[in-house]
Amino acid sequence: MTAIDPAGTVAVVGAGTMGQGIAQVALTAGHPVRLYDAAPGRAEEAARAIAARLGRLVDKGRLDAAGRDAALARLRPAARLAELVDSALVIEAIVEQLQAKQKLFTELESVVPDSCLLATNTSSLSVTAVAGALKLPGRFVGLHFFNPAPLLPLVEVVRGFATDQEAADRARATVAAWGKTPVACADAPGFIVNRIARPFYAEAFRLYEERAADPATLDAVLRECGGFAMGPFELTDLIGQDVNEAVTRSVYESFFHDPKFRPSLAQRRLVEAGLLGRKSGRGWFDHSADAQRPRPHTAEPQDAPAAIRVTGGLGPAAALVEMAREAGIEVAVEGDGSASGGHIRLPGGACLALTDGSAAVEGPPGERGIFFDLSLDYRAATRIALAPSADAAPEDVREATGLMQALGKQVSVIDDVPGMIVGRTVAMIVDFAVDAAARGVATPEDIDAAMRLGVNYPGGPLQWADRLGALWLWNFLYNLHDEGAGERYAPSRALRRRADREARVL
């Protein structure tokens, strides 16, 4: 299927930040663009804002003056919907209210030709439901751009239950012609990104509610150990607590209150208090001009142990063995190290092991256990979290801290919570991704691309599943579920099947 001809008019309805961004994308792709907003004068104001942004691109050398002038000549604010009559594509970016969107598209049907493709930029509503009031729902698709639209490459192309495949293919080809990366997905709650990304926020907020650590420390561990670009507390302060919480609540309600998607009470209280993040001056953090960001908990420097003993395999943390040797620590290895479930024996006798989804206190009776957190890249990680059991002595924690510091890590000691921080977050994200792929929400390739490009993850969740192993992930979530945390952590059937296949190969 070919893309819409560049000579075809693209209309954008809704002249807010997202609408302006989408209009700019279509303009720079060569289309005539009509910009409409129901509020008088807003379309003209938006056109001036787009002109200013294009001017800044010229100043930075990213666009020449002739290109800017040609683009602005193709941009025309519209005072009435009737002016969109010649549109080949209309993209809506108005308020996230189902009735408002249905009313708009019903009116548009009487204006634009039957050949015009209709699209919604909704991030949380059902594309099928928005199209439900239309006479020709087959030409209706979701085109979910990410903010800022001119910069972020991802667009989710959502096919509703009544969408014709031809319309979905044409929309995808058009988005690709605009220089974006389209990913195809079914009309499922949250589509790809807002569905699979929920644990990134939800688990951090739950860990805060469990008093595992403070927000600054949780953010630091997810950034510096997990490899995420931002922590969930600072990121939701940037997004807006009200916006993030509304998406979470919408997905939760769309899944009929499935506990896996349950919103955070702590975040709800922020919203109720008007502490919305940067835009209100305070959210999880204080953003006033003279405020100082709280520092993450970081352990004081400790001496490295001269020698350690590794028994069994460390699974995803196997790289630590060679890293310890490179740091000048004598390492004795017992067993072939081919499996998971092993541990590091510290000089004082304490057992240091990768979190397996259970709490350190649940270890063997009499064992002084300390868990360390998962990292997707132990060599690149600059921070690690430790969770000592109640039986671990202060000297045990100092030895574990000194070992990790010798490997180039800052150390954050947190409360003994099942699954820790990165481990719990990554396992849940992967399970959501595996489940979404199994349910046909999107292909594995599109899921991984969406999470890398849409929310800047350090890799694709299904690639993480291959690297960590489905069997390890299933056992991790099973242990977490067995800790009494409820159905939230029950591994999906899709992950169980994947783990079963892996076990048969082994």
Side-chain angles (χ1 to χ4, degrees), residues 119-439:
T120 175
N121 183 58
T122 185
S123 61
S124 59
L125 297 177
S126 164
V127 171
T128 302
V130 177
L134 299 182
K135 296 176 183 177
L136 298 175
R139 60 171 167 169
F140 190 86
V141 299
L143 286 180
H144 180 212
F145 289 77
F146 288 75
N147 195 28
L151 297 180
L152 294 186
L154 183 73
V155 179
E156 292 176 320
V157 181
V158 186
R159 183 180 179 185
F161 278 29
T163 303
D164 294 335
Q165 185 62 52
E166 180 181 354
D169 291 344
R170 193 177 189 199
R172 184 165 185 165
T174 299
V175 168
W178 292 357
K180 298 297 183 182
T181 302
V183 291
C185 62
D187 185 19
F191 310 141
I192 301 173
V193 172
N194 279 331
R195 175 189 183 127
I196 295 172
R198 294 325 332 139
F200 180 70
Y201 312 106
E203 292 311 312
F205 299 161
R206 191 176 179 96
L207 286 161
Y208 167 78
E209 292 167 351
E210 293 172 6
R211 299 298 188 219
D214 61 276
T217 301
L218 291 164
D219 273 357
V221 172
L222 282 161
R223 283 195 317 267
E224 300 164 31
C225 180
F228 293 93
M230 295 181 73
F233 295 91
E234 59 186 342
L235 180 55
T236 52
D237 266 3
L238 178 63
I239 295 169
Q241 298 302 330
D242 53 339
V243 174
N244 182 263
E245 201 260 354
V247 173
T248 299
R249 187 168 296 277
S250 174
V251 173
Y252 177 58
E253 291 171 355
S254 297
F255 275 108
F256 305 104
H257 295 181
D258 186 328
K260 288 180 178 290
F261 297 92
R262 183 175 295 128
S264 161
L265 180 59
Q267 188 181 37
R268 174 98 289 257
R269 292 292 180 257
L270 281 182
V271 174
E272 291 172 341
L275 304 178
L276 307 181
R278 290 182 179 273
K279 62 185 176 184
S280 68
R282 185 178 170 191
W284 294 108
F285 304 110
D286 185 350
H287 298 281
S288 57
D290 57 348
Q292 292 187 350
R293 180 66 63 86
R295 295 178 178 273
H297 170 76
T298 304
E300 294 294 325
Q302 303 295 333
D303 293 334
I308 58 174
R309 188 170 76 252
V310 179
T311 301
L314 300 183
L320 295 180
V321 176
E322 189 59 32
M323 290 170 64
R325 289 194 176 108
E326 292 168 1
I329 298 171
E330 183 180 337
V331 181
V333 176
E334 298 177 353
D336 61 9
S338 61
S340 299
H343 63 269
I344 298 169
R345 185 68 64 180
L346 297 170
C351 175
L352 180 63
L354 172 63
T355 176
D356 64 357
S358 59
V361 73
E362 297 296 328
E367 186 73 80
R368 306 195 316 275
I370 302 173
F371 272 139
F372 62 88
D373 209 349
L374 175 69
S375 176
L376 295 166
D377 187 341
Y378 281 99
R379 287 190 174 275
T382 57
R383 183 178 295 270
I384 197 79
L386 299 178
S389 69
D391 295 328
E395 179 57 30
D396 298 328
V397 178
R398 286 194 290 270
E399 286 186 345
T401 298
L403 171 62
M404 292 301 179
Q405 289 172 342
L407 304 187
K409 319 301 177 194
Q410 295 190 82
V411 174
S412 294
V413 180
I414 68 169
D415 195 26
D416 181 19
V417 289
M420 300 189 68
I421 301 171
V422 180
R424 187 193 290 195
T425 301
V426 167
M428 289 292 283
I429 289 171
V430 171
D431 194 36
F432 276 36
V434 170
D435 180 66
R439 293 177 185 272

Side-chain angles (χ1 to χ4, degrees), residues 357 418 475-491:
N475 285 326
F476 184 100
L477 287 170
Y478 183 85
N479 289 340
L480 192 55
H481 171 65
D482 197 47
E483 286 282 345
E487 292 300 317
R488 179 187 187 95
Y489 298 105

Side-chain angles (χ1 to χ4, degrees), residues 63-77:
L63 179 69
D64 59 40
R68 175 200 58 196
D69 295 343
L72 293 178
R74 294 192 301 272
L75 176 61
R76 191 181 78 193

